Amino acid sequence: MDVKGRRGLLWGTLLALLAVGIGVALRPQPVPVDLAIAEVAPLRVTVDEEGMTRVREVFTLDAPVAGRLRRIDVDAGDPVEADRTVLATIDTAPPALLDARRLAEQRAALEAARSTRDLAAAERERAAADLAFARRELDRARRLAEEQSLARRALEDAERAFRVASAELTRSEAALAVREHELERAAVQLLSPLELEARQASCECVTVTSPTHGVVLRVLRRSAGIVGAGTPLMEIGDPADLEVVVDLLSEDAVRVSPGQAAILGGWGGPELAARVRRIEPLGVTRVSALGIEEQRVDVVLDLSDPPARWERLGHDYRVDVGIVLFEGEVLQVPLGALFRDGDDWAVFVADDGEARRQTVTIGARNDLAVQIRDGLEAGQRVIRYPGERVSDGSAIVER
């Protein structure tokens, strides 16, 4: 072979190798994917939200009367017994201090009361003198009547005058007693708080006892001082009678029914069983941490476990609540394997190194898995989180 032929053979070989390399480079490469197995396993679907424990019956102890409250010595957590444990004592309130004008008015009122008393005393003296005169006249008329020296009408007039004088004396004595009390009242108005306290022989106190068995939950007013009737003093309840309240979005609350099971966690102890007792009929507008207005509904749950498992829980403790909407052994796949195919749900099934689109019918689902009612069989492998590179018929390889 001459030189020209050998050169052509060399270039031909190089071109053939280049073509093969370009073909290999352009050949579709398998897409690396993560696979999961469709399997029958337990699936639980819950509505999750933070809740608060609370004593079922909280009693707010109020001051029954206005007065001076003595310092409250009980502390939160102290046990109490119904109608026996004294929690607060209220004394009579001291009078207000008098300013200069009011003091002058009270002194003038005292002098007026003293003068009125003196006038009533003079009236009584006059009534006593009239009664003494009427008695002597009646005695004289009776003697003359016995001697038949006085007409019957004159005797009757004397008796009538005596009775009138006696009644007048009684009236004047009563008026004098009234004026004496008025004078005493006017004098008391001028007494200072210290003088009144010194004259007080004993404490005219009102004791406030516990209305129920339990413990003191919170002391609202501890310091001594003047309180009005109805002032809240403390809250009392029984920590052994707890319930849990959780506020759900209204769209979640309509999925909950009384009697549904719930799971409590996140409180520092073991998971607790609970059951829905009541869904409040009234929704309340609350603003979320993001500033979004939400319609919230309170759902009340009862603890199902024995008290020994949750005895460390107290009033207003935070718990994580999961209300069970569905629970069972079902065929399931990871939620990330699903994607929309028009109006249907679909997955990619791994079939001999290829991705095959498969339409499925789903059921219950939570944040991790979804129930497959139709379209898959147990043991089939599906692609988790398929990306844009995966399509029906794509070559795949497991990572």
Side-chain angles (χ1 to χ4, degrees), residues 3 9 43 51 66 70 124 198 237-238 264 279 319 342:
V3 176
L9 180 60
L43 179 66
R70 294 185 180 180
R124 180 191 176 284
D238 185 3
L264 308 181
I279 296 97
V319 294

Side-chain angles (χ1 to χ4, degrees), residues 192-383:
S192 66
L194 293 178
E195 292 173 326
L196 286 175
E197 186 173 355
R199 292 178 59 176
Q200 189 170 350
S202 61
C203 174
E204 299 179 1
C205 306
V206 175
T207 57
V208 184
T209 58
S210 173
T212 183
H213 296 285
V215 301
V216 177
L217 298 177
R218 180 169 55 169
V219 178
L220 302 175
R221 172 67 182 264
R222 180 177 296 278
S223 299
I226 304 301
V227 296
T231 301
L233 302 179
M234 65 186 67
E235 293 179 350
I236 301 170
D238 185 3
D241 187 19
L242 281 184
E243 63 184 11
V244 179
V245 59
V246 53
D247 62 326
L248 300 180
L249 290 171
S250 57
E251 60 195 57
D252 290 332
V254 297
R255 303 162 59 194
V256 178
S257 301
Q260 283 183 310
I263 300 170
L264 308 181
W267 61 278
E271 283 194 348
L272 302 175
R275 194 161 296 275
V276 176
R277 174 161 54 90
R278 183 178 71 251
I279 296 97
E280 298 289 351
L282 177 66
V284 179
T285 302
R286 295 190 176 97
V287 180
S288 69
L290 299 177
I292 301 173
E293 287 189 354
E294 299 173 338
Q295 287 302 115
R296 292 278 179 169
V297 178
D298 284 344
V299 177
V300 183
L301 302 92
D302 291 326
L303 293 163
S304 303
D305 285 337
R309 286 177 55 85
W310 47 266
E311 61 182 354
R312 293 186 177 276
L313 279 174
H315 185 61
D316 276 349
Y317 280 35
R318 189 195 71 83
V319 294
D320 294 332
V321 179
I323 300 176
V324 179
L325 302 179
F326 173 85
E327 188 171 22
E329 295 271 345
V330 296
L331 178 64
Q332 58 182 281
V333 297
L335 185 62
L338 285 176
F339 62 91
R340 275 293 188 179
D341 184 17
D343 293 335
D344 299 323
W345 289 101
V347 296
F348 281 118
V349 179
D351 186 11
D352 293 333
E354 292 186 355
R356 179 169 56 83
R357 182 186 291 111
Q358 180 68 44
T359 301
V360 294
T361 303
I362 67 173
R365 61 179 176 178
N366 57 23
D367 294 337
L368 300 177
V370 59
Q371 177 188 7
I372 302 298
R373 292 181 174 175
D374 190 24
L376 284 179
E377 295 181 358
Q380 287 185 293
R381 298 191 303 169
V382 296
I383 299 175

